[in-house]
mmCIF file of all heavy atoms in Angstrom:
data_model
loop_
_atom_site.group_PDB
_atom_site.id
_atom_site.type_symbol
_atom_site.label_atom_id
_atom_site.label_comp_id
_atom_site.label_asym_id
_atom_site.label_seq_id
_atom_site.Cartn_x
_atom_site.Cartn_y
_atom_site.Cartn_z
ATOM 1 N N GLY A 272 -8.690 10.957 -27.397
ATOM 2 C CA GLY A 272 -9.835 11.608 -28.030
ATOM 3 C C GLY A 272 -11.163 10.942 -27.753
ATOM 4 O O GLY A 272 -12.203 11.364 -28.255
ATOM 5 N N LYS A 273 -11.211 9.912 -26.911
ATOM 6 C CA LYS A 273 -12.410 9.089 -26.829
ATOM 7 C C LYS A 273 -12.715 8.580 -25.421
ATOM 8 O O LYS A 273 -13.863 8.351 -25.075
ATOM 9 C CB LYS A 273 -12.172 7.897 -27.774
ATOM 10 C CG LYS A 273 -13.322 6.946 -27.931
ATOM 11 C CD LYS A 273 -13.063 5.967 -29.056
ATOM 12 C CE LYS A 273 -14.054 4.826 -28.992
ATOM 13 N NZ LYS A 273 -13.641 3.676 -29.753
ATOM 14 N N TYR A 274 -11.666 8.350 -24.629
ATOM 15 C CA TYR A 274 -11.856 7.641 -23.355
ATOM 16 C C TYR A 274 -11.783 8.629 -22.199
ATOM 17 O O TYR A 274 -10.719 9.201 -21.930
ATOM 18 C CB TYR A 274 -10.778 6.559 -23.194
ATOM 19 C CG TYR A 274 -10.773 5.569 -24.324
ATOM 20 C CD1 TYR A 274 -9.870 5.701 -25.372
ATOM 21 C CD2 TYR A 274 -11.691 4.530 -24.355
ATOM 22 C CE1 TYR A 274 -9.874 4.797 -26.425
ATOM 23 C CE2 TYR A 274 -11.702 3.624 -25.403
ATOM 24 C CZ TYR A 274 -10.795 3.769 -26.434
ATOM 25 O OH TYR A 274 -10.799 2.889 -27.475
ATOM 26 N N ASP A 275 -12.902 8.795 -21.529
ATOM 27 C CA ASP A 275 -12.968 9.798 -20.473
ATOM 28 C C ASP A 275 -12.398 9.265 -19.164
ATOM 29 O O ASP A 275 -12.774 8.186 -18.697
ATOM 30 C CB ASP A 275 -14.435 10.214 -20.269
ATOM 31 C CG ASP A 275 -14.528 11.380 -19.311
ATOM 32 O OD1 ASP A 275 -13.655 12.256 -19.372
ATOM 33 O OD2 ASP A 275 -15.471 11.401 -18.495
ATOM 34 N N LEU A 276 -11.497 10.044 -18.574
ATOM 35 C CA LEU A 276 -10.944 9.709 -17.255
ATOM 36 C C LEU A 276 -11.385 10.787 -16.268
ATOM 37 O O LEU A 276 -11.402 11.979 -16.604
ATOM 38 C CB LEU A 276 -9.409 9.673 -17.311
ATOM 39 C CG LEU A 276 -8.781 8.603 -18.201
ATOM 40 C CD1 LEU A 276 -7.260 8.816 -18.300
ATOM 41 C CD2 LEU A 276 -9.072 7.201 -17.667
ATOM 42 N N ILE A 277 -11.706 10.362 -15.046
ATOM 43 C CA ILE A 277 -12.167 11.327 -14.028
ATOM 44 C C ILE A 277 -10.999 12.182 -13.536
ATOM 45 O O ILE A 277 -9.833 11.783 -13.628
ATOM 46 C CB ILE A 277 -12.825 10.623 -12.814
ATOM 47 C CG1 ILE A 277 -11.805 9.781 -12.013
ATOM 48 C CG2 ILE A 277 -14.000 9.776 -13.243
ATOM 49 C CD1 ILE A 277 -12.309 9.320 -10.639
ATOM 50 N N GLY A 278 -11.348 13.359 -12.979
ATOM 51 C CA GLY A 278 -10.367 14.176 -12.249
ATOM 52 C C GLY A 278 -10.454 13.816 -10.776
ATOM 53 O O GLY A 278 -10.394 12.649 -10.418
ATOM 54 N N GLY A 279 -10.619 14.828 -9.944
ATOM 55 C CA GLY A 279 -10.842 14.564 -8.515
ATOM 56 C C GLY A 279 -9.583 14.356 -7.693
ATOM 57 O O GLY A 279 -9.666 13.891 -6.552
ATOM 58 N N SER A 280 -8.414 14.721 -8.255
ATOM 59 C CA SER A 280 -7.171 14.614 -7.459
ATOM 60 C C SER A 280 -7.367 15.391 -6.165
ATOM 61 O O SER A 280 -7.917 16.496 -6.182
ATOM 62 C CB SER A 280 -6.001 15.237 -8.219
ATOM 63 O OG SER A 280 -5.906 14.670 -9.493
ATOM 64 N N CYS A 281 -6.921 14.813 -5.067
ATOM 65 C CA CYS A 281 -7.175 15.513 -3.802
ATOM 66 C C CYS A 281 -6.162 15.128 -2.724
ATOM 67 O O CYS A 281 -5.403 14.177 -2.872
ATOM 68 C CB CYS A 281 -8.598 15.236 -3.306
ATOM 69 S SG CYS A 281 -8.990 13.516 -3.004
ATOM 70 N N ILE A 282 -6.203 15.931 -1.671
ATOM 71 C CA ILE A 282 -5.385 15.668 -0.478
ATOM 72 C C ILE A 282 -6.364 15.547 0.680
ATOM 73 O O ILE A 282 -7.221 16.419 0.861
ATOM 74 C CB ILE A 282 -4.377 16.816 -0.249
ATOM 75 C CG1 ILE A 282 -3.450 16.934 -1.468
ATOM 76 C CG2 ILE A 282 -3.569 16.579 1.043
ATOM 77 C CD1 ILE A 282 -2.478 18.098 -1.440
ATOM 78 N N THR A 283 -6.295 14.428 1.395
ATOM 79 C CA THR A 283 -7.243 14.226 2.499
ATOM 80 C C THR A 283 -6.492 14.137 3.827
ATOM 81 O O THR A 283 -5.313 13.784 3.869
ATOM 82 C CB THR A 283 -8.069 12.930 2.322
ATOM 83 O OG1 THR A 283 -7.185 11.803 2.419
ATOM 84 C CG2 THR A 283 -8.773 12.890 0.981
#
Side-chain angles (χ1 to χ4, degrees):
K273 184 170 167 197
Y274 303 98
D275 187 38
L276 296 172
I277 66 167
S280 306
C281 60
I282 300 175
T283 66

